[in-house]
C-alpha cells in the first residue's frame, strides 16, 4: 500500500468544488485515512514547498497557498502515487488530459486545484507533515 497527500488548494475551495474532487478520489478507489480543512500559515506553506525555494514561482506559490483555506487529505491505495497523478492530470491544466481533476477545475499552472505527492518516499513524508499516525484511520 502506498500513501499520497492530496491538498485541495484555495482556488478549488473558493469554487466550492471540494466535494466533487473528493468524490472523484473515492470513485477511483482511494481510501481516505485522514482529512482536515486548514488555513496554512506562511511558515507551513514555505516549509511544505521548501524543495521549490529557488524557483521563480516560490514566493507567489506561498502567497497563493496561504490565500484561503485548503483541505488536506491523507490517501492510501495500491499504486497510489501513479494512480493519483493520473487522476489529477498534468501540473499545467492546459496540458492535462480530459476528465482529470486539473482539466476540470484548475485555473492555471499555479492555481491548479490540487496537490499530489510525486514519489512513494514523498508520499510518506508529506502525509506526516500534516497528520500524526494516531490521526490516521484504517
Ligand atoms: P504542486 O503539485 O502542488 O507542486 C508545486 C506547485 O508549484 C505546483 O503544484 C503549482 O501550484 C506550482 N507551480 C509549478 N510550476 C509552476 C510554474 N511554472 N509557475 C507557477 N507555479 C508553478
Amino acid at each position: 500500500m502506498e500513501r499520497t497527500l492530496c491538498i485541495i488548494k484555495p482556488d478549488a475551495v473558493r469554487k466550492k468544488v471540494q466535494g466533487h474532487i473528493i468524490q472523484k478520489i473515492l470513485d477511483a478507489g482511494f481510501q481516505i485515512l485522514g482529512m482536515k480543512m486548514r488555513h496554512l500559515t506562511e511558515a507551513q506553506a514555505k516549509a511544505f514547498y521548501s524543495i521549490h525555494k529557488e524557483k521563480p514561482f516560490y514566493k507567489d506559490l506561498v502567497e497563493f497557498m496561504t490565500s484561503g483555506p485548503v483541505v488536506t487529505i491523507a490517501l492510501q491505495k495500491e499504486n497510489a502515487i501513479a494512480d493519483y497523478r493520473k487522476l489529477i492530470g498534468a501540473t499545467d491544466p492546459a496540458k492535462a488530459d480530459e476528465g482529470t481533476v486539473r482539466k476540470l477545475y484548475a485555473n492555471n499552472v499555479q492555481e491548479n486545484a490540487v496537490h499530489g505527492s510525486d514519489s512513494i518516499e514523498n508520499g510518506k513524508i508529506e502525509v506526516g507533515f500534516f497528520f500524526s499516525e494516531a490521526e490516521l484511520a484504517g
Side-chain angles (χ1 to χ4, degrees), residues 114-126:
V114 283
H115 168 80
S117 309
D118 65 1
S119 66
I120 294 175
E121 189 56 27
N122 280 341
K124 286 187 206 148
I125 292 169
E126 290 181 357

Side-chain angles (χ1 to χ4, degrees), residues 27-28 37 39-40 48 53 61 64 70 72 85 87 97-98 100 117 121 123 136 138:
D27 289 347
M37 199 163 184
H39 197 140
L40 300 185
F48 184 78
K53 65 173 183 281
L61 177 62
F64 163 60
V70 301
T72 50
R85 289 171 75 77
L87 180 73
D97 290 340
E98 290 299 327
T100 59
S117 309
E121 189 56 27
L136 302 176

Side-chain angles (χ1 to χ4, degrees), residues 65-79:
M65 289 301 292
T66 56
S67 68
V70 301
V71 185
T72 50
I73 311 175
L75 298 172
Q76 181 167 278
K77 188 183 180 298
E78 268 176 37
N79 208 32

Side-chain angles (χ1 to χ4, degrees), residues 15-70:
K15 285 182 190 167
K16 300 183 167 66
V17 294
Q18 55 273 55
H20 297 290
I21 294 173
I22 292 165
Q23 192 61 55
K24 279 183 87 67
I25 290 169
L26 291 170
D27 289 347
F30 289 85
Q31 184 185 0
I32 294 179
L33 298 179
M35 177 157 64
K36 187 172 161 69
M37 199 163 184
R38 334 169 179 250
H39 197 140
L40 300 185
T41 63
E42 189 181 329
Q44 279 177 315
K46 278 184 169 169
F48 184 78
Y49 281 119
S50 62
I51 193 171
H52 296 301
K53 65 173 183 281
E54 306 302 335
K55 304 262 175 65
F57 57 79
Y58 180 66
K59 190 171 167 284
D60 280 355
L61 177 62
V62 169
E63 230 167 76
F64 163 60
M65 289 301 292
T66 56
S67 68
V70 301

